[in-house]
Amino acid sequence: MINKTLLGTAAALCGLVMMAATPASADLLDDITQAKKIRISTDLAIPPSGMMDSNMKPTGSDVEVAQLLAKDWGLELEFVQTTGATRIPNVLTGKADIIISTLSVTPERAKVIDFTKRYATLQSDVGCLKSSTVKDWPDLKDKSIGVSRGTTQDTTLSNMKDKDLKIARYDDDATMVTAAVSGQVDCVASSATIINQIGVKNPSRVFESRIPLATFDLAIGLKKGEQRLMDKLNAWIGENVKNGKLNAIYKKFHGVELPADMRS
């Protein structure tokens, strides 16, 4: 005869094992609140959005957006250094809570992460050496175009199969800019602000925007399914667009205001 006490104990142990094997439903907003810290994936090598100042402290438009968010929420801020290619993996693997790093909203990215409403925009161009004769796509024949791997510019150019473009891929924006500054490439595909930075680093190689690619919405990226965190981030963006703080940050570093339709 089976001992009922032993049977009950075995059933209870089985239940505990099953519970341990089933992952608990986590809520990232609760985790952030309990930790009293938010980990933000930000590239600190893409001026003027992210960079280090003369005292080796983070600065830039994305940096100040992250700092404002942490301050408003009463949280400690931890920057998780990233490149264009590692921004999304940082949140998917739990290394970072959110992304604030010139992250353009694209359908491909929306398949793997969620986006908040936009907090800024990014004008993307093909920029070339000012002394070059490049005016349109046919003028790029046989010219290498520097691009940061994994960015929207990389994807956009890669999809232009009909133009037979020569693309030189670099691991991050800083390496791409160095290639332009040192004469390895005479054209780059990047944001208008980064294109303008090339001449600042080397006045003998001034670059300027020649061919427009697109204007992208920039948003905060986060892991899929974190609706409470998404709602809170969207409310925060809405409030700081309305009070002008996000516009002031953007104008401070990019020299222009956010689009009128964002500020109205």
Side-chain angles (χ1 to χ4, degrees):
M1 185 179 228
I2 299 174
N3 187 304
K4 290 184 178 180
T5 303
L6 289 176
L7 189 62
T9 301
L13 287 172
C14 182
L16 288 172
V17 170
M18 291 295 292
M19 286 175 64
T22 305
S25 136
D27 186 285
L28 187 52
L29 181 57
D30 283 343
D31 293 343
I32 292 169
T33 303
Q34 289 168 15
K36 297 181 179 179
K37 177 171 75 173
I38 188 163
R39 301 166 303 159
I40 301 181
S41 182
T42 305
D43 192 339
L44 300 177
I46 49 167
S49 299
M51 52 194 167
M52 305 298 285
D53 66 15
S54 57
N55 296 315
M56 295 308 292
K57 291 184 177 180
T59 187
S61 56
D62 281 336
V63 169
E64 289 205 5
V65 169
Q67 290 171 336
L68 179 62
L69 173 65
K71 180 183 176 183
D72 285 350
W73 287 9
L75 299 170
E76 176 189 346
L77 170 59
E78 177 185 333
F79 282 114
V80 178
Q81 175 63 295
T82 188
T83 63
T86 59
R87 291 172 297 182
I88 290 175
N90 279 346
V91 296
L92 294 180
T93 59
K95 187 176 180 180
D97 299 315
I98 61 173
I99 307 163
I100 300 180
S101 187
T102 59
L103 187 65
S104 304
V105 179
T106 68
E108 292 79 13
R109 289 172 177 168
K111 293 175 183 177
V112 292
I113 61 169
D114 281 338
F115 289 100
T116 63
K117 63 173 66 175
R118 60 180 176 168
Y119 70 89
T121 60
L122 178 74
Q123 174 61 40
S124 184
D125 300 320
V126 174
C128 297
L129 199 61
K130 189 174 182 179
S131 58
S132 76
T133 58
V134 173
K135 294 182 180 178
D136 209 341
W137 295 107
D139 302 326
L140 291 170
K141 183 177 174 59
D142 298 327
K143 292 188 181 296
S144 292
I145 307 169
V147 67
S148 182
R149 194 185 311 277
T151 58
T152 47
Q153 294 88 4
D154 185 7
T155 303
T156 301
L157 293 184
S158 298
N159 289 336
M160 293 180 173
K161 307 294 185 185
D162 60 317
K163 298 193 184 301
D164 194 26
L165 301 172
K166 291 176 63 177
I167 304 172
R169 293 179 175 83
Y170 298 92
D171 287 338
D172 51 46
D173 287 315
T175 311
M176 179 194 67
V177 169
T178 299
V181 166
S182 61
Q184 296 175 52
V185 292
D186 288 338
C187 293
V188 298
S190 189
S191 69
T193 49
I194 289 179
I195 291 168
N196 294 334
Q197 286 292 318
I198 297 170
V200 173
K201 292 183 177 292
N202 183 354
S204 68
R205 287 185 60 80
V206 176
F207 276 54
E208 62 182 18
S209 294
R210 292 291 174 88
I211 306 172
L213 282 179
T215 298
F216 296 100
D217 288 337
L218 300 184
I220 298 174
L222 64 159
K223 208 172 193 178
K224 280 189 172 294
E226 300 293 345
Q227 192 59 51
R228 290 180 62 237
L229 179 57
M230 170 76 82
D231 291 343
K232 187 169 183 179
L233 286 167
N234 278 334
W236 179 82
I237 292 170
E239 178 184 349
N240 284 279
V241 166
K242 186 176 180 180
N243 65 25
K245 289 183 180 180
L246 288 177
N247 185 57
I249 290 172
Y250 192 80
K251 187 174 181 179
K252 173 182 175 181
F253 289 97
H254 297 268
V256 294
E257 295 188 321
L258 291 173
D261 65 324
M262 275 189 73
R263 295 179 280 113
S264 59

